[in-house]
Amino acid sequence: MVSPTAFFLSMAQSDTRNPQHSFTEMNELVLPNDTNTLNNLMGGKLLHWMDICAAIAAQKHSNRIVVTASVDSVSFKETIRLGDVVTLSAYVTRSFNTSMEVFIEVHAQNIPTGEKIKSNEAYYTFVALDSRNRPVKVPTIEPQTDLENEKFAGALRRRQIRLILAGKMKPEDAQELKNLFV
Amino acid sequence: MVSPTAFFLSMAQSDTRNPQHSFTEMNELVLPNDTNTLNNLMGGKLLHWMDICAAIAAQKHSNRIVVTASVDSVSFKETIRLGDVVTLSAYVTRSFNTSMEVFIEVHAQNIPTGEKIKSNEAYYTFVALDSRNRPVKVPTIEPQTDLENEKFAGALRRRQIRLILAGKMKPEDAQELKNLFV
Amino acid sequence: MVSPTAFFLSMAQSDTRNPQHSFTEMNELVLPNDTNTLNNLMGGKLLHWMDICAAIAAQKHSNRIVVTASVDSVSFKETIRLGDVVTLSAYVTRSFNTSMEVFIEVHAQNIPTGEKIKSNEAYYTFVALDSRNRPVKVPTIEPQTDLENEKFAGALRRRQIRLILAGKMKPEDAQELKNLFV
Amino acid sequence: MVSPTAFFLSMAQSDTRNPQHSFTEMNELVLPNDTNTLNNLMGGKLLHWMDICAAIAAQKHSNRIVVTASVDSVSFKETIRLGDVVTLSAYVTRSFNTSMEVFIEVHAQNIPTGEKIKSNEAYYTFVALDSRNRPVKVPTIEPQTDLENEKFAGALRRRQIRLILAGKMKPEDAQELKNLFV
Amino acid sequence: MVSPTAFFLSMAQSDTRNPQHSFTEMNELVLPNDTNTLNNLMGGKLLHWMDICAAIAAQKHSNRIVVTASVDSVSFKETIRLGDVVTLSAYVTRSFNTSMEVFIEVHAQNIPTGEKIKSNEAYYTFVALDSRNRPVKVPTIEPQTDLENEKFAGALRRRQIRLILAGKMKPEDAQELKNLFV
Amino acid sequence: MVSPTAFFLSMAQSDTRNPQHSFTEMNELVLPNDTNTLNNLMGGKLLHWMDICAAIAAQKHSNRIVVTASVDSVSFKETIRLGDVVTLSAYVTRSFNTSMEVFIEVHAQNIPTGEKIKSNEAYYTFVALDSRNRPVKVPTIEPQTDLENEKFAGALRRRQIRLILAGKMKPEDAQELKNLFV
């Protein structure tokens, strides 16, 4: 027989996970069809890879099928070239009931020179679905390192921006954001 | 012989284009590989299509090969399903020296029911390159309709947000944005 | 209560559609895998795009899943090159009980020069299917413009050719065609 | 030293080839992305496979890179299903200076039942190109079997139809065709 | 009425097939995405094509869906280049209850020079599955030619190697293999 | 001035790398086109992913474009299903002048159950090429851990098997292998 205490502990364990649990790395070779006629990787292809890598992280965290809810703004400062190796790494920074924020970093390496650059970073959010396509609760995040704590805290502020941009929150109600501008 | 005035006019004409000149529409069928195991279109695939459609619009405007410079935040509120027809339409809203902002709208239609929904909208920016991969000047935009004028005016504010997010402008210097929050 | 007249009108409306209702445009970038080693677009890839664009038009007209029944002869007079933007536009010209004829035009644009050529046109026919894979009746077409009327009239003659080529009609019974040759 | 006679013979040999020399077979599995949501193979995908198979046959005959010049009308009478094995076989029936006509047959086999049907046949024509994209002369065809002789003879009539359809010949000048209709 | 003998014979017939019955040929063009940046075909792409060709052969033999059980070692001695035509041919050499060994040969042809080389050969094994994903008995092989007899006999030895490599047989129990080394 | 000793050291450093330096991880989602009609991942697709992952590891080790020289036998004991996350990890175990042996492990995770299995392991070998497609010397490996030392030692024995299988070494000359069987 399972005692009430044991049951409580087991629930607590299954409801909370480390960011590291969802860590996911992908490596991709830039092939001809991924580039424009000047041999530069097209941004849309990279956004596609980032979505797959981030979605796998969110699936590892939640053990659920996930759908993309939003992507925050992404800028492409560095040129990635045909034949480069693109390394993507992602982990869940925080969860909000049925949704998860995933942080993702992208590096690109030129093989003959060995030079490796950081090309991008971005935040994707996902919603977990059950087998009937309905949103379902996901485990919470317990950050372990300084960086994970910083990402965890910042997730609230980034969520306010998303709610404002989606028209679901008034700018004047977003106190943390107001501090940025005044 | 070409008079100075005539020459100036011809330059002005070649340097300026209507948003409509770059208007680009794409239709895509959602195929099995574009979906997750619940038969929902994956967000990354849609971001990829949006990038291609927007890039074609930017190429039509500039007659140059273009690379994606940034994508503003995108939210995915509606579920798009296997077999749906996805219609993307894009046009250049404003250009800034060597870069262009492109507005893109996405609709999805369920064929058996005929129901059509607006699923997304987004702003992508592109940089035009010459044959040696160097940024090159593009024609300016002359908006014609009320909506085009509104997009043209808003492009300045969206650019301030991008510069702040990219760490190239201080929030307190973005006067238009400050007005939103205070 | 619905009067017989009202009922008749509502049926007529739902049974008839303009060609414009099915108008579908696709834009595609010619990527390396679409070309042979001389960097020319392969004909089969274009036939594939044409089929998808035409099928979407037929689906918009009928609100049904469709399958290709035939493609009339297509000639490829113009070379389309790597990096070109290919624009396909299609609409239903006429329907015959469970099948539809779709007219499709293809243009190709070279981005750096801005030169745009018409590369092809073709007629595809599709059959509409219900959810059990059985042919199902589709709305009729009511042409609006001169061009649409011409396409509508010609559809009968093209159908005779298809029936002859498929061995379902004797050449001597195709009066309209006989007039072409004698 | 090579005698004039020997030289003439060697030229004749290199200028003439059997249809069998170009015979090409392809087998393809129908995968989910090749089908519509009713699990039927899309016609455009099959046209794409047919073009690749026929192009390989034309390349084997000419030892040149080839581009598709035209495809004669194709009808799709049989439904091909997800998981079927599609077998395509093609060979050059006749060449005309720089172009070649290729005959192609398609069969589809259902694996669990073993049932095999002939689903299509078609004629594609190709032009051979040299390394500067210019049309170049190809070997002639010497048919060996009764069927090959029949295809060889019919190629002239089919070419007249193509020239008429392309607006390069008047119907009343195509004597062979006139006999069909009167 | 069917006599017992006749019944036995009919069973025997349906349980046995020639290697030739499963013979499968595929032709593929090497496209840009199949190559590395030096324009050489990537080995993994070729292993993928070999698996599809061999799987089709196993499906033709068994009239069942099949899954790959193993691939024996494959070496890539010859360089295959962008634009080459790759010809794969496969047939079942022997079956073992629910599994089949398939022999596959690969040739590559350079179109402009006409030069054709044998690039690889390999043995793949497959297991036949019924509609519930369970292994199911397949027909036996009756070799007809000297080569087919040699492949049939060698299949036993190759199976011993696979069982040893998979840790399911002790090397000292594989008498045929011991003879090779002592 | 650089002393002979310092020079020797610097050469040694640039010529030697840890296995960990080449460590490469890939995560892939099993999509519909990767599976047969029973929703099982096709072996050829997995062999393709393994080749890409292993090739990236070999490229990281050598800073050269690489081509696959061989793959040792691979067995597929576990079924991988549609929607599973496949995790591949690879590193260089030993180099031989211009070639490298790469060890690769494959795990598959079912997202809803969280169950993770080891599905495969394999050894691929690659040859490094310079910009003219000629084999070129690569750095040697200095194993650091017990497992890396074991892989490094075993690489010699596996190489003997490859040479025998490729007909380049007589079985009776492979002393290490003989010990296995007698």
Side-chain angles (χ1 to χ4, degrees):
Chain A
M1 202 193 108
V2 177
S3 72
T5 311
F7 180 67
F8 175 74
L9 281 174
S10 110
M11 258 190 59
Q13 281 167 341
S14 70
D15 272 353
T16 302
R17 281 179 170 168
N18 296 345
Q20 203 54 31
H21 179 86
S22 64
F23 184 80
T24 301
E25 185 172 314
M26 266 171 62
N27 278 279
E28 299 284 340
L29 273 180
V30 179
L31 295 176
N33 261 30
D34 308 328
T35 64
N36 61 20
T37 45
L38 299 175
N39 288 340
N40 298 315
L41 176 62
M42 289 188 285
K45 187 71 189 189
L46 185 53
L47 290 170
H48 191 182
W49 286 340
M50 290 162 84
D51 179 66
I52 292 174
C53 184
I56 294 176
Q59 294 192 154
K60 283 185 181 171
H61 176 74
S62 63
N63 285 119
R64 297 287 183 176
I65 304 297
V66 302
V67 289
T68 313
S70 70
V71 49
D72 291 0
S73 59
V74 185
S75 77
F76 302 84
K77 292 165 203 158
E78 303 288 343
T79 304
I80 302 178
R81 304 278 296 160
L82 179 64
D84 282 3
V85 172
V86 177
T87 305
L88 306 102
S89 53
Y91 60 89
V92 176
T93 57
R94 189 163 184 166
S95 66
F96 299 93
N97 196 21
T98 64
S99 75
M100 295 154 276
E101 185 193 71
V102 178
F103 175 63
I104 178 161
E105 274 190 316
V106 183
H107 291 81
Q109 186 173 11
N110 178 291
I111 288 301
T113 68
E115 191 194 2
K116 191 169 185 172
I117 54 160
K118 175 167 175 179
S119 76
N120 303 79
E121 61 176 50
Y123 295 93
Y124 279 67
T125 54
F126 296 87
V127 172
L129 300 181
D130 66 15
S131 57
R132 295 198 205 165
N133 264 325
R134 293 172 309 194
V136 64
K137 207 168 175 337
V138 300
T140 54
I141 281 286
E142 199 157 292
Q144 308 291 314
T145 68
D146 284 357
L147 179 60
E148 288 170 10
N149 271 294
E150 188 192 307
K151 293 284 180 202
F152 184 85
L156 256 191
R157 192 176 62 246
R158 289 184 295 272
R159 191 162 189 250
Q160 286 185 347
I161 298 181
R162 275 171 224 130
L163 291 172
I164 291 171
L165 289 172
K168 293 177 179 168
M169 184 186 259
K170 293 183 188 165
E172 60 269 28
D173 294 342
Q175 190 55 51
E176 261 190 282
L177 287 182
K178 285 172 72 173
N179 300 341
L180 275 180
F181 288 93
V182 286
Chain B
M1 200 194 109
V2 178
S3 72
T5 311
F7 180 68
F8 174 80
L9 283 172
S10 108
M11 259 190 59
Q13 283 167 338
S14 70
D15 273 351
T16 302
R17 283 180 169 167
N18 295 346
Q20 204 55 29
H21 179 86
S22 64
F23 183 81
T24 302
E25 185 172 316
M26 267 172 62
N27 278 278
E28 299 283 340
L29 275 179
V30 179
L31 295 176
N33 262 29
D34 307 327
T35 64
N36 62 19
T37 43
L38 299 175
N39 289 340
N40 298 315
L41 176 62
M42 289 188 286
K45 187 71 190 189
L46 185 53
L47 291 169
H48 191 183
W49 285 340
M50 292 164 83
D51 178 66
I52 291 173
C53 185
I56 293 176
Q59 293 191 155
K60 283 185 181 170
H61 176 74
S62 62
N63 286 120
R64 296 287 183 176
I65 304 297
V66 303
V67 289
T68 312
S70 71
V71 50
D72 290 1
S73 59
V74 185
S75 76
F76 301 84
K77 291 164 204 159
E78 303 289 343
T79 303
I80 302 178
R81 303 279 295 161
L82 178 64
D84 283 1
V85 172
V86 177
T87 304
L88 306 102
S89 52
Y91 60 89
V92 175
T93 57
R94 189 164 185 164
S95 66
F96 299 94
N97 196 21
T98 64
S99 75
M100 294 154 276
E101 186 193 69
V102 178
F103 175 63
I104 178 160
E105 274 191 315
V106 183
H107 291 82
Q109 187 173 10
N110 178 290
I111 288 300
T113 68
E115 191 193 3
K116 190 168 185 172
I117 55 162
K118 175 168 175 177
S119 76
N120 305 79
E121 61 176 53
Y123 295 94
Y124 279 68
T125 54
F126 296 88
V127 172
L129 299 181
D130 66 14
S131 58
R132 293 198 206 164
N133 264 325
R134 293 172 310 194
V136 65
K137 207 168 175 333
V138 300
T140 55
I141 281 286
E142 198 157 293
Q144 307 293 314
T145 68
D146 284 357
L147 179 61
E148 289 170 10
N149 271 295
E150 187 192 309
K151 294 284 180 202
F152 185 85
L156 256 190
R157 193 175 62 247
R158 290 185 294 273
R159 190 162 190 251
Q160 285 185 347
I161 297 181
R162 277 172 222 128
L163 291 171
I164 291 170
L165 289 172
K168 293 176 179 168
M169 185 187 257
K170 293 182 187 166
E172 61 269 28
D173 294 343
Q175 189 55 50
E176 263 189 278
L177 287 182
K178 286 172 72 173
N179 300 340
L180 275 180
F181 288 95
V182 285
Chain C
M1 200 194 108
V2 178
S3 73
T5 311
F7 181 67
F8 175 81
L9 282 172
S10 108
M11 257 190 60
Q13 284 167 339
S14 70
D15 273 353
T16 302
R17 282 181 170 166
N18 296 346
Q20 204 54 32
H21 179 85
S22 64
F23 184 80
T24 302
E25 184 172 317
M26 266 172 60
N27 278 279
E28 299 284 340
L29 274 179
V30 179
L31 295 176
N33 261 30
D34 307 328
T35 65
N36 62 20
T37 44
L38 299 175
N39 289 339
N40 299 315
L41 176 62
M42 288 188 286
K45 187 72 190 188
L46 185 52
L47 290 170
H48 191 183
W49 287 340
M50 291 163 82
D51 179 67
I52 292 173
C53 184
I56 293 176
Q59 294 192 154
K60 283 185 181 170
H61 176 74
S62 62
N63 286 119
R64 296 287 183 176
I65 305 297
V66 302
V67 288
T68 313
S70 71
V71 50
D72 290 0
S73 59
V74 185
S75 77
F76 301 85
K77 293 164 202 159
E78 302 288 344
T79 303
I80 302 178
R81 304 278 295 160
L82 179 64
D84 282 2
V85 173
V86 177
T87 304
L88 305 102
S89 52
Y91 60 88
V92 175
T93 56
R94 189 163 185 164
S95 66
F96 299 93
N97 196 19
T98 63
S99 75
M100 295 154 276
E101 185 194 70
V102 178
F103 176 63
I104 178 159
E105 275 191 313
V106 183
H107 292 82
Q109 186 173 11
N110 178 289
I111 288 302
T113 68
E115 191 194 2
K116 191 168 184 172
I117 56 161
K118 174 167 174 179
S119 76
N120 304 78
E121 60 177 51
Y123 295 93
Y124 279 68
T125 53
F126 295 88
V127 173
L129 300 181
D130 66 14
S131 58
R132 294 198 205 162
N133 264 324
R134 294 171 308 194
V136 65
K137 207 168 174 336
V138 301
T140 55
I141 280 287
E142 198 156 293
Q144 307 293 314
T145 68
D146 285 357
L147 179 61
E148 289 170 10
N149 270 294
E150 188 192 308
K151 293 285 180 204
F152 184 85
L156 257 190
R157 193 176 62 248
R158 290 186 293 273
R159 191 162 188 251
Q160 286 185 347
I161 297 180
R162 276 171 224 130
L163 291 171
I164 291 170
L165 290 171
K168 294 177 179 167
M169 184 186 259
K170 292 183 190 166
E172 61 270 27
D173 294 342
Q175 189 56 50
E176 260 189 283
L177 287 182
K178 285 172 73 172
N179 300 339
L180 276 179
F181 288 94
V182 284
Chain D
M1 199 194 110
V2 177
S3 73
T5 311
F7 181 67
F8 174 81
L9 282 172
S10 108
M11 257 189 60
Q13 283 168 339
S14 69
D15 272 353
T16 302
R17 283 180 169 167
N18 296 345
Q20 204 54 33
H21 179 85
S22 64
F23 184 80
T24 301
E25 185 172 315
M26 266 172 61
N27 278 279
E28 299 284 341
L29 274 179
V30 179
L31 295 177
N33 261 30
D34 307 327
T35 65
N36 62 20
T37 45
L38 299 175
N39 288 341
N40 298 315
L41 176 62
M42 289 188 284
K45 187 71 189 188
L46 184 52
L47 290 170
H48 191 182
W49 286 340
M50 290 162 85
D51 179 67
I52 292 174
C53 184
I56 294 176
Q59 294 192 154
K60 283 186 181 170
H61 175 74
S62 62
N63 286 121
R64 297 288 183 177
I65 304 298
V66 303
V67 288
T68 313
S70 71
V71 50
D72 291 0
S73 59
V74 185
S75 77
F76 301 85
K77 292 164 203 158
E78 303 288 344
T79 303
I80 302 178
R81 304 278 296 161
L82 179 64
D84 282 2
V85 172
V86 177
T87 304
L88 306 102
S89 53
Y91 60 89
V92 176
T93 57
R94 189 163 184 165
S95 65
F96 299 93
N97 196 21
T98 64
S99 75
M100 294 154 277
E101 186 194 70
V102 178
F103 175 63
I104 178 160
E105 275 190 316
V106 182
H107 291 81
Q109 186 174 10
N110 177 289
I111 288 301
T113 68
E115 190 194 4
K116 191 169 184 172
I117 55 161
K118 174 167 174 179
S119 75
N120 303 78
E121 61 176 51
Y123 295 93
Y124 279 67
T125 54
F126 296 88
V127 172
L129 300 181
D130 67 15
S131 57
R132 293 198 206 162
N133 264 325
R134 294 173 309 195
V136 65
K137 208 168 174 335
V138 301
T140 55
I141 281 286
E142 199 157 292
Q144 307 292 314
T145 68
D146 284 356
L147 179 61
E148 289 170 11
N149 270 294
E150 188 192 308
K151 294 283 180 204
F152 184 86
L156 256 190
R157 193 177 62 247
R158 290 185 294 270
R159 190 161 190 251
Q160 286 185 346
I161 297 181
R162 276 170 223 130
L163 291 171
I164 292 171
L165 289 171
K168 293 177 180 167
M169 184 186 261
K170 293 183 189 165
E172 61 269 26
D173 294 342
Q175 190 56 50
E176 262 190 280
L177 288 182
K178 286 171 71 172
N179 300 341
L180 275 179
F181 289 94
V182 285
Chain E
M1 199 193 107
V2 178
S3 72
T5 311
F7 181 68
F8 176 79
L9 281 173
S10 109
M11 259 190 56
Q13 281 167 340
S14 70
D15 273 351
T16 301
R17 282 179 169 168
N18 295 347
Q20 203 56 29
H21 179 85
S22 64
F23 184 80
T24 302
E25 185 172 314
M26 268 172 61
N27 278 278
E28 300 283 341
L29 274 180
V30 179
L31 295 176
N33 262 30
D34 308 327
T35 63
N36 61 21
T37 44
L38 298 175
N39 289 339
N40 298 315
L41 176 62
M42 289 188 286
K45 187 71 189 188
L46 185 52
L47 290 170
H48 191 183
W49 286 341
M50 291 163 83
D51 179 66
I52 292 174
C53 185
I56 293 176
Q59 293 191 154
K60 284 185 181 171
H61 176 74
S62 62
N63 286 120
R64 297 286 184 178
I65 305 298
V66 302
V67 289
T68 313
S70 71
V71 49
D72 292 0
S73 59
V74 184
S75 76
F76 301 85
K77 292 164 203 159
E78 302 289 342
T79 303
I80 302 178
R81 304 278 295 160
L82 179 63
D84 282 3
V85 172
V86 177
T87 305
L88 306 101
S89 53
Y91 59 88
V92 176
T93 56
R94 189 165 186 164
S95 66
F96 299 94
N97 195 22
T98 64
S99 75
M100 294 154 276
E101 185 193 71
V102 177
F103 175 63
I104 179 161
E105 274 191 315
V106 183
H107 291 82
Q109 185 173 12
N110 178 290
I111 288 300
T113 67
E115 190 193 3
K116 191 168 185 172
I117 55 162
K118 175 167 173 178
S119 76
N120 304 79
E121 61 176 52
Y123 294 93
Y124 279 68
T125 54
F126 295 89
V127 172
L129 300 181
D130 65 15
S131 58
R132 294 199 205 163
N133 264 325
R134 292 171 310 193
V136 65
K137 208 168 173 336
V138 300
T140 54
I141 281 286
E142 198 158 291
Q144 308 292 314
T145 68
D146 284 358
L147 179 61
E148 288 170 10
N149 270 294
E150 188 192 308
K151 293 284 181 203
F152 184 85
L156 256 191
R157 192 175 65 244
R158 289 186 293 273
R159 191 161 189 251
Q160 286 185 347
I161 297 181
R162 277 172 222 129
L163 291 172
I164 291 170
L165 290 171
K168 293 177 181 167
M169 184 187 259
K170 293 184 189 166
E172 61 268 27
D173 293 341
Q175 189 56 49
E176 260 190 280
L177 288 181
K178 286 173 72 173
N179 300 341
L180 275 179
F181 289 95
V182 286
Chain F
M1 201 193 106
V2 177
S3 72
T5 311
F7 180 67
F8 175 80
L9 282 173
S10 110
M11 259 190 59
Q13 282 167 340
S14 70
D15 272 352
T16 302
R17 282 179 169 167
N18 295 346
Q20 203 55 30
H21 179 85
S22 64
F23 184 80
T24 301
E25 185 172 315
M26 266 172 63
N27 278 278
E28 300 283 340
L29 274 179
V30 179
L31 295 176
N33 261 30
D34 307 328
T35 63
N36 60 21
T37 44
L38 298 175
N39 288 340
N40 298 316
L41 176 62
M42 288 188 286
K45 187 70 188 189
L46 185 53
L47 290 170
H48 191 182
W49 285 341
M50 291 163 84
D51 179 66
I52 292 174
C53 184
I56 293 176
Q59 293 191 155
K60 284 186 181 169
H61 176 74
S62 62
N63 285 120
R64 298 286 183 176
I65 305 297
V66 303
V67 288
T68 313
S70 71
V71 49
D72 291 0
S73 59
V74 185
S75 77
F76 301 85
K77 292 165 203 159
E78 303 288 343
T79 303
I80 302 178
R81 303 278 295 159
L82 180 63
D84 282 3
V85 172
V86 177
T87 305
L88 306 101
S89 53
Y91 60 88
V92 175
T93 56
R94 188 163 185 166
S95 67
F96 298 93
N97 196 22
T98 64
S99 75
M100 295 154 275
E101 185 193 71
V102 178
F103 175 63
I104 179 161
E105 274 190 315
V106 183
H107 292 81
Q109 186 173 11
N110 177 291
I111 288 301
T113 67
E115 191 194 2
K116 191 168 185 172
I117 54 161
K118 175 167 174 178
S119 75
N120 304 79
E121 61 176 50
Y123 294 93
Y124 279 68
T125 54
F126 295 89
V127 172
L129 299 181
D130 66 15
S131 57
R132 295 198 205 163
N133 265 325
R134 293 172 309 194
V136 63
K137 208 168 175 333
V138 300
T140 54
I141 281 287
E142 199 158 292
Q144 307 292 313
T145 67
D146 284 358
L147 178 61
E148 288 171 11
N149 270 295
E150 188 192 307
K151 293 284 181 203
F152 184 86
L156 256 190
R157 193 175 63 246
R158 290 186 294 271
R159 191 163 189 250
Q160 285 185 347
I161 298 180
R162 276 172 224 130
L163 291 171
I164 291 170
L165 290 171
K168 293 178 181 167
M169 185 186 258
K170 293 184 189 165
E172 60 267 29
D173 294 341
Q175 190 56 48
E176 262 189 283
L177 288 182
K178 287 172 71 172
N179 300 341
L180 275 179
F181 289 93
V182 285

